Amino acid sequence: MEQEAMRLVGGDETLDDLIIGGFKLIQPRKGYRFSIDAVLLAHFAALEKVKQAVDLGCGNGVISLLLAARSPNLKITGIEIQEQMAERAQRSVEYNRLLQQVQIVEGDFCQIDRHLPPGSAGLVISNPPFYGRGQGRISRDPEEAVARHETAMTLDALVAAAYYLLSPGGSFCLIHRCERLPDIINCCMAHRLLPVRLRAVHSFQEQEARLVLVEAQKREQGPFKLLSPLIIYKRAGIYSKEVMSLYYGEER
């Protein structure tokens, strides 16, 4: 694999071990790099009976790889508007020998009908930009700016794309800032996606939740589940037992 890495990884990039599935991810040395948010989201989604998943705004492809590790029979399409990110994700797919399972599409999901057919996915998943237009300081790095701020999309456009892609009963899963939860619920309801599952994410047990994991389904009615909180760290620099189990398949 060393020769393969030399061929696929550029001098301004790193090849990072995801641990999960034994996969590795090509990332830029500087700029937008994945965080644990992607790992939490990839494990939040229920994959039972799902044959086709779409990763909207797949970036460097980390969530697509993590889903592939969880379910080898799952077909995954990642769509990414930024050319360099999409090309990098494609190289990660090739490096991990997942070309038969994962497809990367360079395109704008705000025009999703140009790229994928309606009702084609049992799962749509996204780790979208956390900050709306006019919020926070925008990075000078163009990739990081688009990944963190809604400069190329809106939350409403994301939910609309999810509705278009989902088959009846299919699920839309995302991770976002807690402050955006009312917007998420309102957007989902406006696009006829029913929120069915929610889990708050806390950095430490004694702190307020910073993030929230949300699942909405393409159906009109059904029960709602408020799950127990997910705690990331047991103490500074040490992951909780649950998070460790996501990486290693058992509590340590």
Side-chain angles (χ1 to χ4, degrees):
M1 296 295 282
E2 184 176 347
Q3 289 184 342
E4 191 76 350
M6 291 178 64
R7 183 176 69 86
L8 293 172
V9 183
D12 58 348
E13 296 173 329
T14 61
L15 183 64
D16 300 302
D17 191 353
L18 293 180
I19 300 174
I20 299 167
F23 294 152
K24 295 187 177 182
L25 182 73
I26 300 171
Q27 299 191 94
R29 291 185 183 276
K30 297 181 179 180
Y32 184 75
R33 295 169 62 85
F34 90 95
S35 68
I36 195 173
D37 301 352
V39 177
L40 302 181
L41 177 59
H43 284 85
F44 175 72
L47 302 184
E48 295 81 3
K49 299 181 181 180
V50 177
K51 297 180 179 179
Q52 177 68 54
V54 178
D55 180 5
L56 291 178
C58 69
N60 295 324
V62 60
I63 291 176
S64 296
L65 298 185
L66 293 171
L67 291 178
R70 286 191 59 201
S71 180
N73 294 322
L74 178 66
K75 298 294 185 181
I76 305 146
T77 300
I79 183 166
E80 171 57 45
I81 192 173
Q82 298 192 75
E83 179 181 1
Q84 287 187 326
M85 274 196 169
E87 191 270 339
R88 196 178 294 124
Q90 180 63 38
R91 284 188 280 124
S92 285
V93 170
E94 183 177 350
Y95 178 85
N96 290 288
R97 300 178 180 176
L98 292 170
L99 292 172
Q100 300 302 312
Q101 186 179 5
V102 181
Q103 176 189 20
I104 303 297
V105 175
E106 181 193 339
D108 185 354
F109 66 66
C110 295
Q111 300 173 331
I112 193 63
D113 58 334
R114 296 185 180 184
H115 306 288
L116 296 170
S120 56
L123 170 68
V124 175
I125 195 166
S126 184
N127 183 4
F130 282 176
Y131 298 96
R133 295 175 183 179
Q135 296 180 335
R137 182 180 177 182
I138 298 179
S139 172
R140 293 182 179 180
D141 181 276
E143 286 190 2
E144 192 166 11
V146 172
R148 298 189 183 280
H149 287 79
E150 293 179 0
T151 59
M153 52 77 73
T154 63
L155 181 61
D156 186 76
L158 174 67
V159 177
Y163 179 84
Y164 169 89
L165 288 167
L166 285 173
S167 57
S171 293
F172 171 48
C173 294
L174 77 161
I175 188 168
H176 219 302
R177 295 163 58 223
C178 285
E179 295 94 316
R180 299 296 302 275
L181 183 57
D183 296 334
I184 293 167
I185 292 175
N186 288 337
C187 280
C188 286
M189 297 299 291
H191 289 283
R192 293 179 291 170
L193 293 178
L194 181 69
V196 297
R197 200 160 54 107
L198 185 150
R199 192 174 194 191
V201 179
H202 303 246
S203 294
F204 297 92
Q205 188 169 4
E206 66 274 12
Q207 293 183 354
E208 292 183 356
R210 180 177 63 91
L211 301 174
V212 64
L213 292 155
V214 180
E215 178 187 0
Q217 292 184 346
K218 193 173 186 177
R219 57 189 173 97
E220 295 182 358
Q221 58 185 357
F224 175 81
K225 293 183 179 180
L226 179 61
L227 304 179
S228 60
L230 193 162
I231 311 300
I232 298 177
Y233 295 103
K234 180 166 60 176
R235 56 181 182 272
I238 305 297
Y239 283 139
S240 67
K241 289 183 178 180
E242 181 175 2
V243 171
M244 288 293 285
S245 73
L246 301 183
Y247 282 100
Y248 299 101
E250 60 184 48
E251 295 190 356
R252 295 192 173 193

